[in-house]
Amino acid sequence: MSKKQEMKNVADLVKNCKKCDLWKTRTKPVIGEGSEDANIIFIGEAPGYNEDRQGLPFVGKAGGILDQSLDSIGLQRQDVYIANILKCRPPKNRNPLKSEVDICTGYLNKQIELIQPEVIIPLGNFATSYIFEKFGLKYDKISNVHGRIFQVSTIFGNIKIIPMYHPAVATYNPNTKDILIEDFKSIQTTLEKRCLF
Ligand code: URA
Ligand code: SF4
């Protein structure tokens, strides 16, 4: 089966998913966007208001910052894959519950296995804490790890994990936005070193 077909199967499962209560209040689930052949996956927390209406990740203000950050290193959305820890929006954008993360990340894990990225960029505290735990890294807090390159070995080879601040924080904190743009340079360096461009 092609990667595209397998990703479509994941999408069909998510569209019909009722494994946690979030299906009751969501408008559209947000499966992910981008290329199945991408070398990089960005992982956010969960859909917000705009994402829930459109069924696409990072389409609101935070999405604008993500686009600017990508653009600063010469990348566009179609060059990468963008997904979230939770596929459905928590009411009033409350934090994901541990039970929801435990149930929903089966889909994200399948997406990661399919894409087999060389680089994973968790955005913000929730995504970083999940990805660090998944790959056996010790997580303290985002301010201690942002922009740093962590190498781990997986069933599909060595990958790099580079945590970043969540772009939503950068929408109201210009200092965080500067840090985010600076941290994106770590992605560029990593890609150039491995000749992935
Ligand atoms: N915040 C996220 O974490 N993900 C989105 O898709 C949008 C906002
Ligand atoms: Fe299913 Fe995930 Fe949506 Fe919960 S958040 S209903 S587990 S797709």
Side-chain angles (χ1 to χ4, degrees):
M1 204 188 295
S2 72
K3 275 203 227 177
K4 229 184 182 54
Q5 184 57 48
E6 289 202 55
M7 192 62 93
K8 193 178 166 300
N9 292 350
V10 175
D12 289 341
L13 289 173
V14 170
K15 282 178 198 155
N16 294 309
C17 183
K18 295 184 174 176
K19 286 201 225 174
C20 81
D21 282 346
L22 294 179
W23 73 273
K24 294 180 187 166
T25 46
R26 77 178 180 212
T27 312
K28 289 182 181 171
V30 175
I31 291 130
E33 181 189 21
S35 164
E36 294 82 19
D37 296 318
N39 289 319
I40 314 175
I41 301 190
F42 287 83
I43 301 174
E45 179 175 319
Y49 177 85
N50 293 294
E51 291 78 20
D52 172 73
R53 307 222 122 197
Q54 296 186 39
L56 290 169
F58 284 97
V59 288
K61 264 196 193 167
I65 301 262
L66 181 59
D67 287 337
Q68 277 179 43
S69 308
L70 285 168
D71 188 57
S72 75
I73 57 165
L75 290 176
Q76 293 183 313
R77 279 188 186 228
Q78 66 258 33
D79 303 322
V80 302
Y81 196 85
I82 306 172
N84 281 306
I85 297 282
L86 294 186
K87 306 307 187 200
C88 304
R89 181 191 182 209
K92 298 187 185 146
N93 295 349
R94 67 156 167 75
N95 286 340
L97 303 176
K98 172 145 186 354
S99 57
E100 292 162 351
V101 174
D102 287 347
I103 298 171
C104 196
T105 42
Y107 300 121
L108 176 68
N109 290 335
K110 181 74 195 166
Q111 289 174 305
I112 294 173
E113 263 170 51
L114 273 177
I115 296 174
Q116 305 203 345
E118 305 235 6
V119 184
I120 298 181
I121 314 287
L123 298 166
N125 185 46
F126 269 91
T128 305
S129 135
Y130 176 75
I131 290 295
F132 268 42
E133 191 181 330
K134 174 176 167 66
F135 291 103
L137 293 169
K138 201 170 147 335
Y139 180 61
D140 172 14
K141 52 184 176 179
I142 191 76
S143 53
N144 283 347
V145 295
H146 72 91
R148 285 172 53 193
I149 302 169
F150 295 82
Q151 179 145 330
V152 293
S153 64
T154 72
I155 45 168
F156 51 88
N158 289 340
I159 65 168
K160 295 202 163 73
I161 296 170
I162 316 176
M164 304 270 165
Y165 279 115
H166 196 290
V169 180
T171 62
Y172 54 82
N173 186 337
N175 186 35
T176 305
K177 187 175 168 194
D178 292 345
I179 297 173
L180 193 61
I181 298 281
E182 189 58 34
D183 285 351
F184 260 65
K185 291 183 188 155
S186 303
I187 306 177
Q188 193 171 30
T189 317
T190 303
L191 294 181
E192 280 168 359
K193 271 201 198 128
R194 292 177 65 85
C195 301
L196 299 175
F197 273 144

